[in-house]
Structure formats: structure tokens, C-alpha cells
Amino acid sequence: MHKGLFISVEGHDGSGKTTQINVLQSYLAEALNTLGLKSGVVTTRDPGGTEFSEEIRKILLNSDMCSWSELLLFAAARKQLETEVILPRIETGHIVISDRWFDSTYAYQAYGRELMSEVEEIMHVVKPIVPDFTFFLSLPLIDSMDRITLRNETADRFDHADLEFKTKVHNGFIEHMSKQDQRVLHIDATQSIEEVSVQIKQHVDEQIIPALKKRMQ
Ligand code: TYD
């Protein structure tokens, strides 16, 4: 077992993942410092996080392609990130937080593109690392769509997808996450930023720090 920890943050569009990843990173860094541990907290994103995976990300977010190519490119970007960044860091005791991981493939490709058996086969072959902890920030579809419309960023191919796809992804995410074990903490992202942060910090205190201490022994 690795010495560090791997944490993923998943969520519906507009659920505030980025804000909460920043909160999580600084809270964990502070906790490591208090414990006198020299290890650090690294954040990354899937797809992305390495030069190669960022190149794939650009293609994935901008070019039209068949669902199979999409699924395989997400798997390739993720494997590169795992090999180049995640495994070396957690093996040396660091904490890695990833903005999205394979649970997003279930939501978008298995449910959204209706490729469940293909996703399962790819997972079986590629065997991406299973996060030690996952935060899932969920929102009702209507709130998610409202928040996305208010965003200023340039929209990508997935943001432009039709309502049918978005609905399948949205409901699929909830269904997939409800089938996972205790690695996942479900958070109601309709709460204020502050309330969500409090819940995240509480989980860090109660579950994540004790797990890290155990590994460090
Ligand atoms: P990103 O900018 O990370 O999305 P957001 O800001 O909404 O979190 O873009 C990643 C997009 O890729 C997002 O729309 C979800 C999609 N995606 C998949 O379809 N499958 C996957 O396995 C992953 C990781 C992401």
C-alpha cells in the first residue's frame, strides 16, 4: 500500500469543485504542517496534469469524435497522469487531489454515451488507481444548468451538449456514486460555499488525517 493518499473530487457541473479543491488543499497542507510531516499536497486535473495529458485534454474538449475515441482518449490521458504524477507522489508519502477521476467516465461515457459495458471493459484492462477518498458534490439538474449559464469561462464541447445527454450524465452520476462504498462522501452542493467547506474539513479531521497517520506508521 502507498504511503500517501489519493483523493478525487467529483461533482455536477457548477457544483463548486474548484473552490472546494482549493479549500481542501490548504486545509490538508495546514494539517500536515501541524503534524510535522514534510510531505506536501499536490492538486491536478483529469483529463490533464501532464504535458501529454493536457494535449489530449485540448482534443477531447474541442474536437468532435466518436464515443469510442472519446472513451479511449480519457483512459490514455488518465493513465499518463497516474504514471507520471500520481503514483510517484503517493509512493513518497504525498497527498494528491485530482479534479475528477474515473467516476466521471461512468457519468459521461457509461451513462451519457450509453457505453456501460465498454467502460467496464476498459476499466478492467487499464485498472486506474481507486481513490482512497472521493468527494461528490451534487446539485439538482436545474441548479447545475443555472450555475453553468452564469459562468464566464469559455464553454467546451461537453457544455454545448444537448439536454438529453446532460440529463443522462446528471442522473447517471448520482446512480453510479450511490453504488460506491464508503470511499465516497456525498455533499449537497446547494448549501453555501462555507457550509460545504465545513463538511469537507470535518471529513478531513475524522477520516483522512487518521488514515494518513496509519500509513505513516
Ligand atoms: P473540466 O473543465 O474539467 O470540467 P468542469 O470544469 O466542468 O469540471 O472539463 C472536463 C470535461 O470532460 C467535463 O465536461 C467532463 C468531461 N469528462 C468526461 O466526459 N469523462 C471523463 O472521464 C472525465 C474525467 C471528464
Side-chain angles (χ1 to χ4, degrees):
M1 193 192 276
H2 46 266
K3 275 166 65 193
L5 288 174
F6 177 47
I7 301 170
S8 62
V9 180
E10 303 276 1
H12 288 131
D13 289 330
S15 60
K17 270 188 299 114
T18 314
T19 310
Q20 298 301 339
I21 285 171
N22 292 334
V23 169
L24 178 61
Q25 181 184 23
S26 27
Y27 193 68
L28 278 169
E30 217 179 285
L32 291 182
N33 202 17
T34 312
L35 290 170
L37 297 172
K38 292 217 161 28
S39 45
V41 186
V42 180
T43 58
T44 189
R45 63 176 181 181
D46 178 26
T50 75
E51 212 178 314
F52 174 83
S53 309
E54 288 291 334
E55 285 301 315
I56 299 184
R57 178 187 175 90
K58 281 186 213 149
I59 300 172
L60 274 166
L61 298 190
N62 300 308
S63 309
D64 282 331
M65 64 189 75
C66 72
S67 303
W68 256 109
S69 302
E70 188 179 285
L71 172 58
L72 293 170
L73 285 180
F74 274 114
R78 183 170 307 129
K79 200 65 189 174
Q80 190 67 31
L81 175 59
E82 177 181 296
T83 309
E84 215 178 301
V85 177
I86 299 171
L87 294 180
R89 299 290 187 292
I90 60 176
E91 270 155 22
T92 48
H94 297 286
I95 299 178
V96 179
I97 304 169
S98 183
D99 183 343
R100 298 189 183 275
W101 193 244
F102 66 65
D103 294 306
S104 283
T105 293
Y106 279 91
Y108 286 80
Q109 281 69 50
Y111 286 92
R113 303 287 187 219
E114 300 186 358
L115 290 179
M116 183 58 84
S117 61
E118 291 84 346
V119 166
E120 281 176 343
E121 281 184 51
I122 295 287
M123 292 291 167
H124 184 69
V125 175
V126 180
K127 293 188 179 53
I129 178 177
V130 179
D132 297 296
F133 295 96
T134 298
F135 292 92
F136 176 51
L137 308 182
S138 75
L139 278 177
L141 182 57
I142 185 81
D143 295 303
S144 170
M145 298 201 28
D146 278 354
R147 291 198 194 178
I148 286 300
T149 324
L150 293 172
R151 264 191 195 174
N152 260 337
E153 305 158 23
T154 37
D156 60 45
R157 200 161 64 86
F158 293 93
D159 298 321
H160 287 305
D162 59 28
L163 183 61
E164 193 193 337
F165 176 74
K166 286 186 173 158
T167 308
K168 282 190 279 185
V169 169
H170 191 92
N171 297 337
F173 227 148
I174 296 173
E175 189 173 320
H176 167 73
M177 285 313 212
S178 69
K179 290 185 193 154
Q180 306 312 302
D181 59 11
Q182 79 262 20
R183 94 176 145 90
V184 179
L185 179 71
H186 298 250
I187 299 181
D188 171 6
T190 60
Q191 300 176 96
S192 68
I193 293 179
E194 188 54 35
E195 284 167 325
V196 172
S197 306
V198 166
Q199 234 180 306
I200 289 179
K201 289 175 182 175
Q202 194 181 345
H203 198 60
V204 168
D205 293 341
E206 290 172 0
Q207 305 282 334
I208 300 184
I209 296 297
L212 188 68
K213 281 185 179 164
K214 225 186 229 171
R215 299 222 174 151
M216 294 275 171
Q217 279 165 6

